[in-house]
């Protein structure tokens, strides 16, 4: 081996080592960017949560001050009942509640709230894409932003490919054209042609129209059931609630409180640990007898194991359908859990078959992309979205309002 060959080998080795080192440094830099962005997101979430907690505490203090003159409820435990009984809403509670807000008004207000939130999802994408020249590192930042917003790996890759091939982004520096290109891509991913109406609002809906609420405990399922009842009441419908979550002790009481706010009767059992299917059966019979427009059945959300969950939810549906057909099964998903909640969502989809998703707590925490990924993974539309803790902070999901809100 002559000297030139040795030099060539050494040069190749040096170049290879340099490329490896450069790759390692680039990978570290990318991870550092992701960690920095994630930390900033967590700081924003913590600040938003602290602000929300302060507001809620102030509201509770105001309410407690108003109710100091009212007598406290008796602590005595009611006698166990053989069958579930409907509980009418106390008139005094109803009188103190404001009238439910209309769906149109809710959508306008929630759009404004989303636009004014600290959600950096759409803003971050626009800031990157509006640059004069997009480098490979910029496109990596676009994909990182999508992943951190819980758009999902497959959907993120698809969206990046479409953006790179869009001449309005790669061939112009006009921010208006870049924004319109980004808006059109996001709208296509969210879906504008999907029928997102609740089945109870369709002309062919049964009467009573039965809705079963499912979801993991802690996602806001029972609260969402109450807010949904309030939304129907705002549309002039008569509603009945069924407290079939007999596993969680406070669930029936919580649902009863919501029923009291909008003068909606609640069918519940006075016996702890009662068979949830029996409550659902009695609720469906009472709704049928009273000719209610809508029956909303709340269910337990514990995931002790997949088989037990399927058995319980399946039984609730079967016994309900002995009286009334089930028109809708809504899965309540906490938007802040992002991809971590997707596997749990799939379990519920397999257990009972869902027709739509309610995204709770979509409060500007950079997780807006979950709208795209949940629809792609579950194959059903997002029908309702919640952006706050208030009784009227639940509204029909509108793709245009959602995309415009996050790009505002």
């Amino acid at each position: 081996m002559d000297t030139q060959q040795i030099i060539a080998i050494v040069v190749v080795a040096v170049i290879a080592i340099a490329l490896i080192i450069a790759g390692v440094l680039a990978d570290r830099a990318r991870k550092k960017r992701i960690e920095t962005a994630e930390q900033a997101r967590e700081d924003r979430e913590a600040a938003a949560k602290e602000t929300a907690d302060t507001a809620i505490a102030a509201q509770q203090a105001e309410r407690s001050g108003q109710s100091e003159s009212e007598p406290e409820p008796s602590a005595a435990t009611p006698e166990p009942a053989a069958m579930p009984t409907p509980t009418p809403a106390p008139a005094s509670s109803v009188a103190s509640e404001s009238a439910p807000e209309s769906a149109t008004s809710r959508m306008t207000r929630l759009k404004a709230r989303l636009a004014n939130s600290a959600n950096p999802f759409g803003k971050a994408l626009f800031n990157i894409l509006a640059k004069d020249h997009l480098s490979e590192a910029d496109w990596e930042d676009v994909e990182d932003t999508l992943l951190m917003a819980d758009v999902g790996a497959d959907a993120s890759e698809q969206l990046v490919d479409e953006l790179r091939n869009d001449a309005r982004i790669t061939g112009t520096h006009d921010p208006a054209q870049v924004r319109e290109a980004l808006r059109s891509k996001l709208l296509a991913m969210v879906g504008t042609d999907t029928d997102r109406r609740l089945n109870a609002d369709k002309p062919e809906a049964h009467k009573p129209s039965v809705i079963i609420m499912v979801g993991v405990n802690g996602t806001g399922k029972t609260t969402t059931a109450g807010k949904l009842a309030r939304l129907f009441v705002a549309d002039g419908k008569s509603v009945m609630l069924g407290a079939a979550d007999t596993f969680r002790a406070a669930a029936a009481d919580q649902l009863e409180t919501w029923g009291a706010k909008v003068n909606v009767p609640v069918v519940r059992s006075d016996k702890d640990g009662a068979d949830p299917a029996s409550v659902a059966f009695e609720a469906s019979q009472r709704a049928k007898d009273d000719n209610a427009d809508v029956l909303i059945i709340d269910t337990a959300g514990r995931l002790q194991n997949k088989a037990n969950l399927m058995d319980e939810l399946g039984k609730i549906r079967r016994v309900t359908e002995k009286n009334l057909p089930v028109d809708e099964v809504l899965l309540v998903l906490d938007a802040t859990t992002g991809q971590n909640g997707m596997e749990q969502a799939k379990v519920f989809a397999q257990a009972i078959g869902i027709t739509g998703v309610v995204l709770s707590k979509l409060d500007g925490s950079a997780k807006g992309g979950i709208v795209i990924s949940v629809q792609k993974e579950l194959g059903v539309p997002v029908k309702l979205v919640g952006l706050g803790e208030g009784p009227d902070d639940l509204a029909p999901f509108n793709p245009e309002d959602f995309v415009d809100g996050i790009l505002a």
Side-chain angles (χ1 to χ4, degrees), residues 85-139:
T85 57
T87 305
S92 60
S93 297
V94 179
S96 64
E97 283 295 324
S98 59
E101 188 177 355
S102 68
T104 302
S105 175
R106 291 170 187 235
M107 292 169 67
T108 301
R109 182 169 54 82
L110 295 178
K111 176 185 175 182
R113 179 177 295 183
L114 184 62
N116 293 328
S117 72
N119 191 337
F121 171 30
K123 298 179 183 66
L125 288 178
F126 176 74
N127 289 337
I128 298 171
L129 295 173
K131 291 182 178 180
D132 289 343
H133 301 286
L134 292 176
S135 65
E136 194 63 33
D138 291 328
W139 286 113

Side-chain angles (χ1 to χ4, degrees), residues 212 312-321 326 329 352-353:
I212 297 179
E312 183 175 295
L313 292 179
K315 184 179 178 182
I316 288 174
R317 181 161 191 161
R318 286 194 304 274
V319 300
T320 300
E321 290 182 331
V326 175
V329 179
I352 194 171

Side-chain angles (χ1 to χ4, degrees), residues 50-108:
E50 183 178 354
T51 302
D53 290 343
T54 302
I56 292 170
Q59 291 176 359
Q60 290 176 342
E62 181 180 353
R63 290 175 183 172
S64 62
Q66 293 174 351
S67 61
E68 282 180 353
S69 60
E70 298 179 4
E72 294 188 0
S74 172
T77 303
E79 290 295 324
M83 291 295 294
T85 57
T87 305
S92 60
S93 297
V94 179
S96 64
E97 283 295 324
S98 59
E101 188 177 355
S102 68
T104 302
S105 175
R106 291 170 187 235
M107 292 169 67
T108 301

Side-chain angles (χ1 to χ4, degrees), residues 258-306:
W258 276 104
K261 291 180 179 180
V262 285
N263 200 20
V264 169
V266 179
V267 176
R268 61 173 294 178
S269 175
D270 290 328
K271 186 189 301 181
D272 290 337
D275 180 15
S278 69
V279 178
F281 179 83
E282 180 66 12
S284 62
Q285 185 62 56
R286 296 298 179 101
K288 185 177 181 180
D289 294 342
D290 293 353
N291 199 30
D293 292 317
V294 182
L295 168 64
I296 303 173
I297 301 175
D298 187 27
T299 64
R302 64 192 188 283
L303 281 174
Q304 69 277 39
N305 65 65
K306 186 176 178 180

